[in-house]
Amino acid sequence: MPIPAWMQSQIDDRSRTAATLGAAADQMNVCRRIAADLNARGRDHAADPFWQAAVAESHRLNGVAAAEGFDAHAIGEEAARRR
């Protein structure tokens, strides 16, 4: 028996929401790893264009997650959980 359309849409919405939170959290961790690597080599991460691009993408993904109802704290908690 197929899943009713209304139920499938709820499953899809939850899956999309989880993916949005996960992407924002993963990107936050990418920024953290880049900064840690640069700092370990004695370089200032704030001036690094690669780190700046990663942060810009992180901010974009945070905006997408915020539209789904997540705040920066929820994203940070998920990032910490994934580390």
Side-chain angles (χ1 to χ4, degrees), residues 4-75:
W6 66 269
M7 187 181 292
Q8 185 62 51
S9 71
Q10 287 185 347
I11 293 168
D12 292 344
D13 287 347
R14 287 185 180 165
S15 177
R16 185 179 67 250
T17 300
T20 299
L21 176 61
D26 288 345
Q27 188 63 27
M28 186 178 281
N29 283 333
V30 165
C31 295
R32 181 184 168 105
R33 282 191 299 272
I34 292 170
D37 181 52
L38 290 169
N39 291 339
R41 291 190 270 152
R43 294 180 49 202
D44 178 20
H45 67 274
D48 185 78
F50 188 64
W51 179 82
Q52 291 171 353
V55 169
E57 178 63 6
S58 181
H59 288 191
R60 186 190 72 76
L61 290 169
N62 283 350
V64 173
E68 294 285 338
F70 296 107
D71 65 5
H73 297 288
I75 297 166

